[in-house]
Amino acid sequence: MPQPARETLSADDIIIATGSQPVMPTIPGSDLPGVITSDGAFLLPEVPARAVVVGGSAVGAEWASLFRTFGAEVTLVEMMPTLLPAEDTEIGRALTRSFTKRGIKVLTRHTVTAVEGEDEGHGGLRALVADADGEPVESLSADIVLFGVGRRPNTAGLDLEKAGVHTDDRGYLPVTDRLRTNVPHISAIGDVTGGIQLAHVASHQGLVAAAVVSGHDERIDYRAVPAATFTHPEVASVGLTEAQARETGHEITAARFPFAALGRAHAYGATDGMVKVVADRSSGAVLGAHIIGPGASDLIAEAALAVTHGVTLKGLVDTIHAHPTLGEATMEAAMGALGLPLHTAPVRRRR
């Protein structure tokens, strides 16, 4: 087969944006038909009747939620104590409760150690599950087993070494806060940099890199990156979790406000979930916010602005929020953190 024609391009600056791809773990049976990653899920010709999803972070949780929405019998297996382990633990526990109510079987502190073909011979699979001690506990029947447990950078074949561009031991491209690699005039953005692998982060990196190439002194700041997980219910967060805030030496105050107390949520018929705010006790500065519930991915923008610009709890409370809206939950949570709740019982202020 003839090779495609190659073309040599010259430029003053090069920006590498080759992204990443899902990783398939090397366990017995990972090469069987029906064992897929998130990329393979997009190619499924129909909704599987039975799905085992391995990995309870954003990718796995989103696919588990989607499969269940379309009627599949779903089991979600996560090795950590809660789903969405990068999120505040209260959010992970709340998502587990919501998934369980929807009929998704959630197995935390478990792993899939192997996949086998079913004995009946009609194309089914069995996922072998072990507990936190590695002891076999269950065999799950499935039509597909989806692994959402990691990614690797698309740097193979780029011949980066010929240009002197350094990669780390996983193949990612370390960059400065101006998105420069170790080689002048070669930059990198997106998943290939090995940082926060979110589409909106890659887009913002692109803006910064383009500005730097154009001669501006722009720099990337990752202190207030919002994350959104498009499950049902949605999850979104920004800044520090309660545990992270304590670990970094903050004396904090934290409070939450349930969507069940909002008229707008009742009008939507979606009252599960809450908004949680975490703030520094002495200054009142908002350190983080964590949301599970309707519109979480939209509501997080206000909190991201607060964390980015050092807005205090009082600043959120003093900002008039339209009524009836879901956004009132952020203001109400801030009031609770100040010990001034309007529509819920006073929240014990954590020390």
Side-chain angles (χ1 to χ4, degrees), residues 60-329:
E62 287 177 345
W63 278 107
S65 183
L66 185 62
F67 286 143
R68 184 59 187 157
T69 297
F70 286 129
E73 178 184 306
V74 180
T75 301
L76 178 56
V77 184
E78 166 56 44
M79 68 180 298
M80 299 298 286
T82 62
L83 296 182
L84 303 180
E87 299 287 350
D88 190 277
T89 54
E90 284 191 74
I91 300 298
R93 289 195 295 266
L95 186 63
T96 297
R97 291 193 296 270
S98 291
F99 273 14
T100 301
K101 283 168 56 177
R102 292 181 59 201
I104 298 172
K105 182 178 181 179
V106 178
L107 297 175
T108 54
R109 300 183 188 270
H110 287 75
T111 58
V112 169
T113 57
V115 182
E116 299 176 348
E118 281 193 318
D119 297 333
E120 291 82 2
H122 31 77
L125 299 168
R126 286 186 294 124
L128 307 185
V129 180
D131 62 19
D133 297 322
E135 295 297 322
V137 293
E138 196 165 356
S139 174
L140 301 171
S141 296
D143 297 296
I144 64 104
V145 177
L146 186 153
F147 284 89
V149 293
R151 302 185 69 84
R152 65 170 179 264
N154 293 325
T155 49
L158 295 181
D159 291 333
L160 295 172
E161 64 280 359
K162 291 183 179 179
V165 177
H166 294 164
T167 60
D168 64 16
D169 57 1
R170 299 179 299 159
Y172 288 102
L173 297 174
V175 292
T176 68
D177 59 358
R178 304 184 78 215
L179 286 310
R180 294 292 200 185
T181 67
N182 64 295
V183 176
H185 303 289
I186 298 182
S187 303
I189 64 170
D191 284 7
V192 77
T193 64
I196 303 171
Q197 295 183 325
L198 297 171
H200 47 277
V201 172
S203 295
H204 195 73
Q205 287 175 325
L207 294 174
V208 172
V212 170
V213 165
S214 302
H216 299 282
D217 187 23
E218 294 288 334
R219 299 176 188 275
I220 191 84
D221 185 349
Y222 299 108
R223 289 176 297 177
V225 176
T229 303
F230 295 97
T231 47
H232 180 74
E234 285 187 358
V235 171
S237 64
V238 68
L240 301 178
T241 66
E242 183 174 340
Q244 289 168 342
R246 295 184 189 280
E247 289 167 4
T248 53
H250 290 278
E251 184 181 355
I252 69 156
T253 179
R256 65 241 3 103
F257 187 82
F259 282 106
L262 283 183
R264 186 63 174 270
H266 282 275
Y268 280 164
T271 56
D272 279 352
M274 64 180 172
V275 174
K276 176 179 179 178
V277 295
V278 179
D280 182 83
R281 180 176 293 279
S282 60
S283 69
V286 177
L287 302 173
H290 312 277
I291 306 173
I292 179 169
S297 59
D298 295 313
L299 297 175
I300 202 63
E302 179 182 22
L305 187 68
V307 174
T308 300
H309 294 287
V311 175
T312 64
L313 293 170
K314 187 175 187 303
L316 286 178
V317 170
D318 288 346
T319 300
I320 299 174
H321 289 63
H323 173 79
T325 63
L326 298 175
E328 291 177 278

